[in-house]
Amino acid sequence: MQTDRKNRFLTREEAVYFAILAAVVFLILPLALDPFRLNLFGKYLTYAFVAIGLVLCWGAGGILSLGQGVFFGLGGYCMAMFLKLEASTPENTAIQSTPGIPDFMDWNQITALPWWWEPFHSLFFSLLAVVVVPVVFAFIVGVAMFRRRVGGVYFAIITQAIAAILTILIIGQQGFTGGVNGITDLRTLNGWDIRTDEAKTALYFVNGALLFACLFAAQYVRRSKLGRLLIAMRDQEDRVRFSGYDVASFKIFVFCLGAAFAGIGGAMFTLQVGFMSPTLVGIVPSIEMVIFAAVGGRLSILGAVYGTLLVNWAKTTFSESFPELWLLGLGALFIAVVMTFPNGLAGLWSEQIMPRARKLFAGGTARPAPASPDTAAGLTQPRKAAAE
Amino acid sequence: MFAGYSMGELTAIFAMQGFAGLILFSVFVLMALGLAIIFGQMGVINMAHGEFMILGAYVTYLVSHVFADIMPALFSMYFFVAMALAFVAAGALGMFVEWAMICHLYKRPLDTLLATWGLSLILQQLYRSIFGAREVGVTIPDWMMGSLPLTDMIEVPINGIFVMVLAVGISIAIYVLMFRSGWGRQVRAINQNRVMADAVGINTAWTDRMTFGIGCGVAGVAGSAFTMIGSTGPTAGQQYIVDTFLVVVFGGAGSLLGTIASAFSISQAQSIMEFFLSGSMAKVLTLLVVVGILMLRPQGLFALKLRK
């Protein structure tokens, strides 16, 4: 019975949680919000892609990357380059001294499209690049680091340095990348205007569907043997290595998977918000994405989605009305999450709220709680409830 | 790249850029020494290190105004008072933070990173509320203005020399503290084996607090020295934090000599390249090389041989 349940893709409890999230994303939010706010929540959900990747890398695998913004940005820029080329037809850019190239290139006295922009005329190539470019980049970084057994704190610092490098590079090479303003004024996707309310609503649903695809992929990884090995590596890396597993390969894989999620998120960000800029690539956004995952619960992929929505919603609300308080609040949130509830909202839910609710409904009959893999208890500690 | 410059001009360029690099080197050393103590010896990642520096800078700013208003006769000496106060203020805040936050997180280094990042956000907002969002500068005393002409083509600014002297002085002080004092011996003992250090009667909790306080205090002094070169804003600390961590990691955590050597190579490379490339590309290239070397040699330049 026990092993049977462990190998199932979704336990009954998890299926309920997935269904609740699906209802929130596909029914409640679209019905409750006007198109502007819905687009805003669509933007938040693009960050959730990164947060899910972080749950796999950091929560399960123990690899904290402070450079996820790099992958988000790479995905977003790949998408933005395609949209920008489509928007810069010779007719639209007739007033430029060189018609047919993006406006910021013209402003920077560049007269021909650089060779590495050329392939982004093709939609198929661009969509492929959204996933492949971040993954290849993550693969190179991952091989270089994990093969040499760089981990933990050093990995965090080096990924952060990479985020800094990429930001400086994008800002410095203004003629090729649009500089600090980023790539703006994006209009159509293969002839379809993405700026209308209808298009934005449609993109919101596409985004939601992709998010669930990523959630299922993440759930599949966690249910598989790979997922259990990741947790084993996080807790006792040497023991896994001595058992004959190639630790580095597993780490590289999960890091690449996180990068792929982030790339998709970045592309959806570009489509829904209509621009891409280095402010989403650097150190600050990268570390903010970590806090989304931390608030939601670093061990729970669904928690990460809720955490992202909640923190961003709070950010928008507070910074609209009390801009000064927001940074103080965000700082306090960082400290509070780390010091008092390291497993985030999901941990709070499964360790505090659910056991109490169960006691209430079961009327005191000691029934062992079903193993919920979303909880810290299910992953790291022997279940206390069963022992009682 | 060298075309169009005569031999004498090239020498002058390299000398001037080398000197600019030396000033950058002093700044890096000052920033990195505090972190080398905190990160290298204690293994704590303090993302708020830059904010401790800025605290020192703001203390200097306040002291300079107090001196200008109350005792203008002594204005030329205010900087030394400011440095001492910056050390005390940043050190005290550091000890408080260690007591309130860090000491609960020693076993979770990645969480320390997040918590101190939160701390840095709070401090930034406090600075912004208290001192305003605009950058502030201090009036430099007369004796620090101007520059010394070495030859007719090479000139060196005096405030740069002062910062260099300061960097050397603090490096020596920290060396003496770490390797010639009882406290330093205790810190190194804890770094090597915390349980055994505890067992032989070292008060590890108190030593940790002192170490963190001194590291933050040195950051405060660094910030104070900063005001001699540039102005200070609430977010200035964040711009330096990545550089500083790279300097410490590149040098090999735990090795003071390594920290100084890596600060030297990074700053020289950056300032010489800056003359030929744009500033941002020089920085990108330098950081790329550093990251590349770290990937090949993760333990840094001067790795301490330690049994973990």
Side-chain angles (χ1 to χ4, degrees):
Chain A
M1 274 303 286
Q2 193 63 39
T3 50
D4 205 4
R5 184 186 278 153
K6 274 204 157 169
N7 287 333
R8 226 165 14 172
F9 178 63
L10 286 173
T11 61
R12 194 180 304 151
E13 197 179 352
E14 282 174 322
V16 172
Y17 290 148
F18 266 83
I20 293 174
L21 183 68
V24 169
V25 171
F26 292 114
L27 284 177
I28 299 176
L29 289 178
L31 288 177
L33 300 168
D34 56 273
F36 172 72
R37 291 271 160 190
L38 189 65
N39 182 238
L40 211 57
F41 270 82
K43 181 176 94 175
Y44 303 160
L45 283 179
T46 61
Y47 301 139
F49 286 89
V50 187
I52 297 169
L54 275 168
V55 167
L56 286 184
C57 293
W58 177 38
I63 315 159
L64 176 57
S65 161
L66 294 183
Q68 290 303 95
V70 167
F71 307 122
F72 188 81
L74 285 176
Y77 267 101
C78 286
M79 196 72 234
M81 282 159 79
F82 170 77
L83 296 173
K84 188 70 197 170
L85 283 181
E86 197 181 313
S88 324
T89 53
E91 300 84 67
N92 282 341
T93 53
I95 51 163
Q96 291 175 183
S97 47
T98 322
I101 62 170
D103 47 10
F104 57 82
M105 290 190 185
D106 193 59
W107 300 333
N108 286 287
Q109 283 86 43
I110 287 173
T111 49
L113 200 63
W115 60 267
W116 50 274
W117 269 75
E118 290 291 350
F120 287 93
H121 279 297
S122 145
L123 176 63
F124 177 73
F125 177 87
S126 306
L127 291 181
L128 205 64
V130 159
V131 178
V132 171
V133 171
V135 168
V136 167
F137 193 66
F139 183 77
I140 295 169
V141 173
V143 167
M145 310 274 272
F146 297 132
R147 286 269 170 241
R148 296 193 165 263
R149 300 188 187 175
V150 178
V153 170
Y154 290 86
F155 186 76
I157 291 174
I158 289 182
T159 47
Q160 191 174 40
I162 292 173
I165 293 173
L166 194 69
T167 321
I168 299 172
L169 193 65
I170 291 175
I171 294 176
Q173 296 299 311
Q174 202 171 350
F176 299 118
T177 60
V180 73
N181 296 320
I183 300 181
T184 53
D185 194 19
L186 309 173
R187 293 167 191 173
T188 52
L189 175 71
N190 231 10
W192 178 52
D193 195 332
I194 56 170
R195 289 166 300 176
T196 60
D197 276 352
E198 294 78 49
K200 284 189 169 162
T201 311
L203 281 171
Y204 172 86
F205 282 102
V206 173
N207 187 33
L210 281 172
L211 182 71
F212 268 85
C214 287
L215 277 172
F216 283 128
Q219 176 71 10
Y220 178 76
V221 167
R222 295 183 41 191
R223 286 273 118 240
S224 65
K225 189 176 175 187
L226 169 69
R228 288 200 288 279
L229 272 171
L230 278 178
I231 291 161
M233 269 157 32
R234 177 194 66 192
D235 295 338
Q236 283 290 336
E237 185 174 332
D238 284 336
R239 205 178 282 185
V240 177
R241 188 174 284 131
F242 293 151
S243 308
Y245 291 103
D246 184 5
V247 169
S249 301
F250 292 114
K251 285 190 173 178
I252 294 168
F253 174 79
V254 77
F255 189 52
C256 289
L257 189 67
F261 289 172
I264 297 172
M268 288 314 294
F269 177 92
T270 307
L271 281 172
Q272 292 187 84
V273 185
F275 75 95
M276 191 70 215
S277 86
T279 48
L280 294 151
V281 176
I283 297 170
V284 177
S286 299
I287 210 162
E288 272 187 6
M289 289 167 187
V290 174
I291 201 67
F292 301 155
V295 168
R298 67 182 73 168
L299 299 171
S300 159
I301 48 176
L302 296 180
V305 178
Y306 288 116
T308 312
L309 287 180
L310 209 68
V311 175
N312 277 295
W313 173 78
K315 182 176 183 170
T316 311
T317 316
F318 281 106
S319 54
E320 269 170 12
S321 32
F322 319 99
E324 302 226 319
L325 284 181
W326 166 245
L327 267 184
L328 289 181
L330 187 65
L333 190 65
F334 264 92
I335 297 174
V337 164
V338 167
M339 308 250 334
T340 55
F341 55 114
N343 290 324
L345 291 175
L348 219 58
W349 172 261
S350 56
E351 285 159 25
Q352 304 287 333
I353 299 173
M354 275 316 277
R356 276 177 208 176
R358 248 187 218 110
K359 217 174 246 172
L360 212 65
F361 289 121
T365 49
R367 200 164 57 99
S372 155
D374 273 344
T375 69
L379 288 176
T380 53
Q381 299 155 3
R383 277 175 293 133
K384 284 181 197 133
E388 279 165 10
Chain B
M1 147 184 207
F2 298 118
Y5 298 108
S6 77
M7 203 54 214
E9 279 169 346
L10 269 183
T11 324
I13 288 170
F14 274 108
M16 296 278 279
Q17 289 304 112
F19 191 78
L22 279 181
I23 296 177
L24 191 64
F25 160 59
S26 320
V27 169
F28 274 178
V29 165
L30 284 174
M31 291 191 310
L33 278 177
L35 207 64
I37 296 175
I38 292 174
F39 177 59
Q41 301 298 324
M42 299 169 71
V44 171
I45 310 181
N46 183 13
M47 294 301 281
H49 195 76
E51 276 63 41
F52 282 98
M53 265 165 44
I54 303 305
L55 178 67
Y58 276 123
V59 167
T60 312
Y61 168 73
L62 287 181
V63 170
S64 81
H65 274 268
V66 168
F67 267 73
D69 291 345
I70 299 172
M71 33 194 165
L74 292 172
F75 187 74
S76 60
M77 300 325 286
Y78 84 86
F79 189 68
F80 298 99
V81 180
M83 244 167 35
L85 281 179
F87 182 82
V88 172
L93 182 65
M95 285 172 83
F96 171 74
V97 167
E98 204 274 349
W99 169 77
M101 203 166 90
I102 312 278
C103 70
H104 306 290
L105 299 172
Y106 278 131
K107 296 215 172 98
R108 298 186 281 159
L110 290 178
D111 286 4
T112 325
L113 194 157
L114 294 179
T116 48
W117 180 265
L119 177 71
S120 83
L121 289 182
I122 292 178
L123 287 176
Q124 275 173 32
Q125 186 53 45
L126 286 180
Y127 297 150
R128 198 171 290 131
S129 306
I130 298 171
F131 298 100
R134 292 178 62 184
E135 301 206 331
V136 298
V138 300
T139 321
I140 304 175
D142 291 335
W143 58 269
M144 257 192 248
M145 308 275 242
S147 56
L148 285 179
L150 290 185
T151 69
D152 50 351
M153 271 199 288
I154 303 171
E155 282 188 346
V156 291
I158 294 177
N159 57 357
I161 296 178
F162 181 77
V163 172
M164 280 162 60
V165 171
L166 197 65
V168 172
I170 290 180
S171 307
I172 293 173
I174 287 179
Y175 173 81
V176 171
L177 257 181
M178 289 301 297
F179 295 101
R180 292 286 178 273
S181 78
W183 172 77
R185 217 168 8 253
Q186 290 183 352
V187 171
R188 284 179 291 135
I190 293 173
N191 185 23
Q192 289 185 2
N193 193 329
R194 177 170 292 270
V195 180
M196 278 310 288
D198 226 348
V200 296
I202 295 173
N203 186 346
T204 52
W206 177 247
T207 312
D208 282 339
R209 198 152 301 156
M210 282 295 289
T211 314
F212 198 82
I214 288 179
C216 290
V218 172
V221 175
S224 186
F226 256 27
T227 57
M228 298 292 105
I229 305 175
S231 49
T232 310
T235 51
Q238 214 167 52
Q239 295 159 10
Y240 293 106
I241 192 74
V242 172
D243 291 315
T244 318
F245 265 111
L246 275 188
V247 165
V248 176
V249 173
F250 185 53
S255 159
L256 281 183
L257 188 66
T259 302
I260 292 172
S262 84
F264 183 78
S265 37
I266 292 178
S267 56
Q268 288 299 325
Q270 189 172 327
S271 75
I272 289 180
M273 274 195 282
E274 247 168 28
F275 188 82
F276 297 103
L277 303 162
S278 70
S280 66
M281 281 316 282
K283 181 133 198 188
V284 166
L285 272 181
T286 317
L287 291 181
L288 267 182
V289 170
V290 170
V291 168
I293 292 178
L294 276 179
M295 285 179 174
L296 297 175
R297 197 181 151 77
Q299 69 272 42
L301 291 178
F302 292 69
L304 234 59
K305 287 201 173 54
L306 259 185
R307 285 174 195 218
K308 291 279 182 195

